[in-house]
Every structure is written in structure tokens, then in C-alpha cells.
Amino acid sequence: MIAPNLIQIAVIGAGLIGPRHASHVVNNAHAELFAIVDPSPTAKEIAASMETRYFTSIQNMIAYCNQNGMSYPDGAIICTPNHTHIRVSAELANYGINLLVEKPLSSIPEEAKALKNFAKEKNVKVLVGHHRRFNPFIVEAKRNLHKVGDVIAISGTWALRKPESYFKMSPWRTDNKTGGGVLLINLVHDIDLLQYMFGPIERIYAELLKKQRSHYPDADEGAALTIKFKNGITGTFICSDNVTSPFNFESGTGENPTVPFQNELEGFYRVFGSKGTLSVPDLHLFHQPEAVDDNTNSWLHPIEKEQLVENKLETLHSQMPFDLQLDHFVDVIRGRAEPLCSADDGMSALMCIDAVMKSVETGIPQYVEDIKNIIPDYEALGLDSDLRAK
Ligand SMILES: NC(=O)c1ccc[n+]([C@@H]2O[C@H](COP(=O)([O-])OP(=O)(O)OC[C@H]3O[C@@H](n4cnc5c(N)ncnc54)[C@H](O)[C@@H]3O)[C@@H](O)[C@H]2O)c1
């Protein structure tokens, strides 16, 4: 039975993140979990535990709908390994199924551009799963940004240590070519947020961090970046998945059940402005509210520390970004909103990662290529003529 008025959503891929998305769909008042699709045997049990349909492939799901005279799901959340996003998404788009594609949109910009164009042709909406845009700590930081005056510089950190089991359970994570490595899996998230908050990045210089996992030679472990935004803001960023540190988004916001919440964490991002400094996720504003001239607004006078959002643990930590992103996806499918993180946004973040990689290779700063210049690779969609929906 299909509940009327509920948006039907399939979850494609049920590894680490897929079941989390699926449980958010189950608990959403406006959506229903149509099915879980994943060839792996454990996915069948996950589907059973959520009392939903299970298919080993998208083709099997489509065949089931056809045989039973049912509509295809309205949307799908693509939670498969990075290098498979485009083929899987194109297959779904071919049947008019709207897409929430986990980040990164792809590991290859040319493939992402082909998907964007194909989805448009099929009148399919694409939302990229940079869910941190919905994180209440980021929403509040963005809302309060003007309080620092002119933003001059930023600094950021995403640093922690992943366990060996993380790599063992999904070998695609150990090779940059399959979208593995910390730059494509994690840095891309922070890049998206930085562009969301401060505008497009123009130029990046990157140095790789010292490698410690010699048994995974093909996966980067982190980089130190110097970033120049188009509007003149400059910043630095350290990204590492192999140091002991709480200075990362997950620890600071508590949004990921795998990573313990550090309630008192301060400053994984710092925004330095002409009138103050904003620290995230703690949302402290350091400023001189009584300043009236060049003397009182200088090192000669004390700087006050103001808490911008009281009771942030209760008010912010309780709002889960995956739920907010899902609500938004439902609105996008219903035509009530445009994607907050579009295919263009996803490609733009990818082009920044591309600049990081090129800077590492060449040893010099790289301009970020305009997404308009990406030449789409339609072959990558993998749609043979016999696969095309009639
Ligand atoms: N937004 C976030 O915070 C977040 C967190 C984790 C992962 N991710 C992203 O989600 C995606 C999945 O990551 P993961 O860690 O869950 O990976 P994973 O390796 O744990 O799981 C991937 C699953 O996809 C299945 N799969 C592979 N090809 C498939 C296909 N063609 N059709 C159906 N299923 C298929 C695999 O069997 C596996 O179960 C990645 O793109 C990753 O970058 C996002």
C-alpha cells in the first residue's frame, strides 16, 4: 500500500550512511520509505528491520513497480560509493526520479556536469547532500556573520583520526581514484560550507600532510591550504583524518552519532573581521562593543567574549540537519523550493578539490576553474540506448 500525500523515497546504498538516511525518512511526517536498494546481503536485513521493500538493483525496483502497476518513487537518496554516484543517479533520473545525491556529487567534474544536464533534460531535481548547510550551528553562524564587520580572514580545521575498521569495511575509501581519501570524502564538506558562508573561492595553495598509513598509499590523509576568495577574504585550513584532535565539525556539533560530541569545543572555524571575531561552533563573538575610536578599537583595550546563542546545546544540538535536509528535499520534489545545494554548488566544491589536487601535484597555487568550462562526459552516465526509459 502506498500512503496518499506522502512523498515516496528510496534509499540507494545501505552501508554507513544509507541506513541513517532511511531512518530519517521513516520518521518524517511527509515522506515514506519506498524501498532500500543495495546488492549486499546485510541490506536485506536492514530493509526488513525498517519494514520496507528490498531490491538488489534499481532495475529490479523499476521492474517491481511496472509489474504491480505502481508509480516509481518520487525521489531517491543516493548513498553509494563516491565513484558510483553518477551512474546510479543517471539511472534513476532516466525514470524521472528526483535525486538527493550524497556528497561529493561525483569524484569527476565532467561526469557531474553530464548528470546536471541530463537531469534537466528529464525534468528531475538534483539536491546535493552537503547537509551541513542545514546544521543549526552553521545557520546561526551565517546569521550572525555581520557582527564581525568586514570579514578579512578565516581559519578552519577538520582534524580527527579514523579507525582502521573504517577503511577495511569499504575499500573504495582507500583510493583517490574511487573517490576515497580525506580530501574528496571530508574536505569537500568544509569547502562547500566555506563557499556557502563566504562566497566563491578563487585560488588555493595546498601542501599534503605527512603520510602515516603507508599501507594505503593511494589515499591522501590531509592537507594544509591557503585560500583566497573572489571577494578578497583570505583563509587557512588544516584537514586531516589521521591526527588525535577534537577540532572537527562532527565533534563540535555532535551531529554524527559515530563521533562523540565535545560540548565545550571552541573554534573549529574562526572568522576575523574589522569589528570582531566569531568562533564556531561555540558561537562566541569576541569584540569591543564600547569602542568609539582607533584607540578603543585596538590592542590597548580589553576584548569582550559574548555568547551569541544561549543554551546552544539544547536549542541547536536537538535540530538534526538530516531531518531538515529531508524536509527540504520533500519541498523541492513538491516544487515548493529550489535546491539549497544545487548541482552547480556540488560541482563548484569539486572544482576546489580539483584545484587542491593540482596544487599538490605542481607545488604552486591554482585558480579554481569556472564550472562553465567543464565539458560534460555523457559516456559516464552509462545509459545505453536499451536502458533508456520509453
Ligand atoms: N553527508 C555525510 O555526512 C556523509 C557521511 C558518510 C558518507 N557520506 C557519503 O555517502 C556515500 C556512501 O558512503 P558510505 O560511507 O555509506 O559508504 P559504504 O561503503 O559504507 O556503503 C556504500 C553501500 O552502497 C552499496 N552499493 C554500491 N554500489 C551500489 C549500487 N550500484 N546500487 C545500490 N547499492 C550500491 C554497497 O553495497 C554499500 O552497502 C558516499 O558518497 C559518502 O561520501 C556522506
Side-chain angles (χ1 to χ4, degrees), residues 25-157:
V25 176
V26 167
N27 292 316
N28 190 286
H30 309 289
E32 190 167 71
L33 185 60
F34 183 84
I36 284 180
V37 179
D38 189 320
S40 104
T42 50
K44 189 174 183 179
E45 290 160 33
I46 292 167
S49 73
M50 294 190 178
E51 298 178 356
T52 191
R53 301 173 189 87
Y54 167 70
F55 302 102
T56 53
S57 70
I58 294 166
Q59 280 307 306
N60 288 347
M61 178 176 76
I62 295 296
Y64 173 89
C65 294
N66 289 341
Q67 282 156 15
N68 292 285
M70 292 163 75
S71 301
Y72 303 142
D74 304 292
I77 308 179
I78 292 84
C79 308
T80 59
N82 292 350
H83 62 297
T84 66
H85 285 181
I86 297 302
R87 273 182 181 243
V88 168
S89 300
E91 196 176 348
L92 293 157
N94 200 31
Y95 295 100
I97 299 171
N98 296 287
L99 308 169
L100 195 179
V101 190
E102 260 299 355
K103 44 51 63 177
L105 179 53
S106 163
S107 31
I108 300 175
E110 291 77 9
E111 299 187 356
K113 184 76 166 272
L115 177 68
K116 178 205 160 173
N117 293 350
F118 180 62
K120 194 170 173 205
E121 191 186 301
K122 288 282 176 181
N123 204 19
V124 157
K125 302 283 176 56
V126 180
L127 173 66
V128 182
H130 284 295
H131 70 273
R132 290 183 187 173
R133 289 185 178 213
F134 296 88
N135 190 294
F137 289 89
I138 294 304
V139 172
E140 284 301 320
K142 199 164 152 55
R143 200 170 65 79
N144 283 287
L145 214 48
H146 64 280
K147 294 182 178 164
V148 306
D150 237 7
V151 178
I152 305 298
I154 57 121
S155 72
T157 316

Side-chain angles (χ1 to χ4, degrees), residues 306-318:
E306 183 187 340
Q307 177 70 70
L308 292 179
V309 177
E310 292 302 332
N311 304 321
K312 79 180 166 64
L313 177 64
E314 288 75 22
T315 54
L316 300 187
H317 183 50
S318 61

Side-chain angles (χ1 to χ4, degrees), residues 164-204:
E164 182 62 21
S165 58
Y166 172 89
F167 299 99
K168 284 244 155 32
M169 70 177 67
S170 293
W172 68 267
R173 296 173 178 148
T174 65
D175 192 339
N176 293 350
K177 285 196 272 315
T178 48
V182 69
L183 303 180
L184 260 173
I185 295 180
N186 304 100
L187 178 65
V188 70
H189 254 320
D190 291 285
I191 291 284
D192 175 67
L193 270 194
L194 295 180
Q195 295 206 106
Y196 182 53
M197 292 173 77
F198 306 111
I201 293 173
E202 181 174 61
R203 200 170 58 217
I204 302 182

Side-chain angles (χ1 to χ4, degrees), residues 106-114 347 350-351 354 374-377:
S106 163
S107 31
I108 300 175
E110 291 77 9
E111 299 187 356
K113 184 76 166 272
M347 276 191 282
L350 264 188
M351 294 321 288
D354 196 54
I374 303 172
I375 297 165
D377 174 6

